[in-house]
Amino acid sequence: MKSVITLSVLAAALALSVPAAHAGNAAAGKKKAVSCFACHGADGNAVDQQYPRLAGQYENYIVQALKEYKSGQRDNAIMKGFAGQLSQQDMEDIATYYATLDGGKLHTLKNYIQGDSN
């Protein structure tokens, strides 16, 4: 009985350690995100600091943000216009596209958190 419990715990731990599959399709997302490129960049690394860099961002964060723009919970007329035209699948595809890009240019929180010494 003890080995069955140990095996169950091991299986559960393994299942939790495997990354979740992407909800959307990155290739479809790239096509759907063309209108996003002007501000956020085709590679998701916006040059202008007023626009968020989306490369490497969490999919669920992008989907949630798009839903909030669409509903008006986030107040941005430009994003509301774009997000208002997206279906759930469109949002998932776009989020997957940006999530799979290299986010190496994203800023870290180093020196922004109280107590950082460097």
Side-chain angles (χ1 to χ4, degrees):
M1 183 68 170
K2 188 176 184 178
S3 63
V4 172
I5 293 171
T6 303
L7 186 56
S8 297
V9 171
L10 181 61
L14 181 60
L16 291 174
S17 67
V18 175
H22 296 291
N25 178 300
K30 183 176 183 177
K31 291 176 185 175
K32 295 174 183 180
V34 169
S35 61
C36 308
F37 296 172
C39 299
H40 298 286
D43 67 351
N45 291 293
V47 177
D48 191 328
Q49 290 183 351
Q50 71 176 319
Y51 304 114
R53 291 184 178 187
L54 300 177
Q57 183 57 268
Y58 295 108
E59 285 177 65
N60 59 348
Y61 176 80
I62 294 174
V63 169
Q64 185 63 36
L66 289 170
K67 286 180 180 180
E68 291 172 2
Y69 285 122
K70 185 174 184 170
S71 73
Q73 187 176 352
R74 287 190 185 209
D75 185 26
N76 182 291
I78 294 170
M79 284 303 301
K80 182 174 177 123
F82 285 120
Q85 301 172 30
L86 301 175
S87 69
Q88 178 68 29
Q89 188 62 54
D90 293 338
M91 292 179 195
E92 291 172 5
D93 291 345
I94 291 168
T96 297
Y97 168 66
Y98 280 117
T100 59
L101 296 176
D102 180 16
K105 294 180 184 177
L106 287 174
H107 294 290
T108 67
L109 293 177
K110 187 171 180 70
N111 296 322
Y112 290 96
I113 299 174
Q114 184 176 4
D116 280 349
S117 58
N118 297 342

